[in-house]
Amino acid sequence: FPIDITFKSTNPFGWPQIVLSVYGPDFFGHDVVRGYGAVHVPFVPGRHKRTIAMFVPESSSMLQQFTSWFTGRRPEFTDPKVVAQGEGREVTRVRSQGFVTVSFNVM
């Protein structure tokens, strides 16, 4: 999807990121999260391709996994900042879920 954004900054600290949340139907037709990922927006002019590794949060026990599968309510992040920041993610159980390629045209 084309996105047109203008940024101005004096330093690249905290440079903007694009956070992706991908959803899709499960076996029962419920909309469930298929993956999360984040990438920093390049600041050098030109065309840039970035491959984003996607991940999905997992339940911590087999009982929770069965319950979430049965009810169609799988674990997901309520705040997208969790995906963009590394703080606190070391205690979250996640599973790798493929890749998304994003193309940037920076002027």
Side-chain angles (χ1 to χ4, degrees), residues 17-22 35-39 52-55 80 83-84 89:
Q17 297 183 42
I18 289 183
V19 176
L20 299 176
S21 300
V22 179
Y36 294 106
V39 66
I52 306 169
M54 304 298 283
F55 59 91
V83 178
R89 276 200 15 218

Side-chain angles (χ1 to χ4, degrees), residues 44-64:
V44 178
R47 184 174 176 89
H48 306 276
K49 283 179 84 173
R50 298 287 187 259
T51 301
I52 306 169
M54 304 298 283
F55 59 91
V56 176
E58 280 196 332
S59 300
S60 57
S61 72
M62 290 295 274
L63 178 62
Q64 287 177 335

Side-chain angles (χ1 to χ4, degrees), residues 55-77:
F55 59 91
V56 176
E58 280 196 332
S59 300
S60 57
S61 72
M62 290 295 274
L63 178 62
Q64 287 177 335
Q65 286 178 359
F66 176 74
T67 304
S68 66
W69 176 83
F70 186 70
T71 61
R73 297 192 46 108
R74 297 189 181 164
E76 59 183 84
F77 297 126

